[in-house]
Amino acid sequence: MNSEEIMSLKNNVIALILQSKSVEELEELRIKYLGRKGEINKLLQALPELDPNQRSSYGTAVNQAKNQIEMAINEKTKQSSTVKINQEFFDPTVPGKPAPTGALHPITKIFHEVEDIFGKFGFSIATGPEVEWDKINFQKLLLGPDHPSRDTQETYYFDEKKLLRVHTSSVQIRYLESHQPPIRIVVPGRVYRRDTIDVTHLPSFHQIEGLMVDDKTVLTDLLGILEHFAKQLFGAKRKVRFYGHHFPYTEPSLEIEVQMENGRWLEIMGCGMVHPQVLENCGINSKKFQGWAFGMGAERLAMLKYWIADIRSLYAGDVKFLNPNLC
Ligand code: DAH
């Protein structure tokens, strides 16, 4: 055998070693090639019969082949035995790999928190349809035909009578029409507006409406409960302020702002005493009963609470927002 033939033999043996499937198979290869009566020893035994000036290069080639085959067998034996150990040895006390878990979306969490805070005051949860009648979404809330939010720029209409609700205030009407006081509800839900998408606007977002109607319902209770709510949600040190506003369906009307870390104020909701005409429109005696109501933007609350700078990231499908450690 010349050096080239030795190299080709060695390559073939290494290929067999790499393809071997078990420790036993490797042991057979070791005996066949490296054993006392193995192929490599046979080659070495032929050394004395060779022409003296060929001996050195032949000897070197055989020894190199031997070393490389040995290395390949050792390496492969290590790998195969770890596989074998893993297959045969199961230790039930070894801690398992943590499984990735899902988490609630920030808006769902906001819904739950708001529901909990008002739940403690006896408010229950009500819902209503997203496809709504113009009458319920607008007219019964005293939003006449000339009101700016009725412009088709603002509202998605199906036809003259049917639309996608622009606020959860529509559920106030539905609930008042089907229940008599005392009423205490919060209404989480999705709303739609023809807004251009930017860092604070989306054409579809979420609101939480609140409504209380009883025979001794007063504005100061509304202010107290909303201040309590803001401190529960954002922390006791947060400052809130109220200032006069206008909504056709409340009289008086107010807006509430929360102070952010940087000192600036951000509006989080509108509220007020339910206009007596709204109660009458729904068959409730406004001489006997009064109510207050509020409507807040859930995305705004989430952005404030979880430090989310861009509203769009809430819906970008990025799992970072579903990370339980973040929210
Ligand atoms: N519907 C108003 C909006 O979408 C929010 C609102 C204001 C709701 C005052 C109310 C309310 O119930 O009393 O901007």
Side-chain angles (χ1 to χ4, degrees), residues 60-265:
T60 316
V62 177
N63 274 321
Q64 260 177 9
K66 185 180 169 189
N67 290 341
Q68 286 178 10
I69 292 172
E70 239 166 29
M71 264 164 53
I73 290 188
N74 290 344
E75 199 49 41
K76 183 76 183 176
T77 312
K78 258 196 255 162
Q79 287 173 14
S80 309
S81 37
T82 11
V83 172
K84 204 168 169 205
I85 286 172
N86 285 345
Q87 280 168 354
E88 285 179 0
F89 185 68
F90 172 68
D91 179 356
T93 64
V94 171
K97 287 185 194 146
T101 50
L104 296 176
H105 190 274
I107 296 300
T108 310
K109 289 184 152 196
I110 291 287
F111 278 174
H112 289 177
E113 278 202 52
V114 176
E115 288 159 11
D116 278 355
I117 296 169
F118 285 96
K120 296 207 171 81
F121 290 98
F123 283 68
S124 54
I125 301 166
T127 53
E130 290 171 19
V131 177
E132 190 53 280
W133 300 110
D134 178 282
K135 216 177 182 171
I136 292 180
N137 189 78
F138 290 132
Q139 293 175 38
K140 292 201 173 186
L141 286 160
L142 312 177
L143 286 153
D146 297 330
H147 196 273
S149 64
R150 302 206 53 178
D151 195 310
T152 47
Q153 293 288 310
E154 300 281 336
T155 308
Y156 292 106
Y157 285 94
F158 292 99
D159 54 40
E160 274 179 21
K161 292 185 176 166
K162 229 184 303 137
L163 45 79
L164 285 173
R165 68 178 179 193
V166 301
H167 51 189
T168 43
S169 304
S170 54
V171 184
Q172 284 192 38
I173 301 299
R174 285 185 173 266
Y175 204 87
L176 288 168
E177 282 183 336
S178 53
H179 297 77
Q180 278 297 312
I183 289 170
R184 288 182 203 191
I185 51 163
V186 281
V187 183
R190 187 186 274 276
V191 299
Y192 302 84
R193 286 183 200 177
R194 296 182 71 131
D195 278 333
T196 308
I197 298 174
D198 63 26
V199 277
T200 50
H201 291 92
L202 289 173
S204 162
F205 55 99
H206 297 82
Q207 286 189 332
I208 305 158
E209 192 84 9
L211 174 69
M212 169 159 179
V213 182
D214 212 330
D215 58 1
K216 289 185 202 64
T217 315
V218 291
L219 184 68
T220 43
D221 287 347
L222 171 67
L223 304 188
I225 206 169
L226 289 181
E227 179 156 9
H228 168 83
F229 158 77
K231 289 184 186 282
Q232 287 281 305
L233 193 70
F234 298 118
K237 290 207 188 100
R238 281 293 171 121
K239 289 204 179 108
V240 291
R241 70 179 184 190
F242 302 85
Y243 59 93
H245 199 77
H246 172 74
F247 299 104
Y249 35 94
T250 45
E251 183 57 40
S253 305
L254 301 150
E255 271 195 341
I256 298 191
E257 291 185 336
V258 175
Q259 196 171 34
M260 300 190 295
E261 297 269 300
N262 63 10
R264 285 173 55 195
W265 295 87

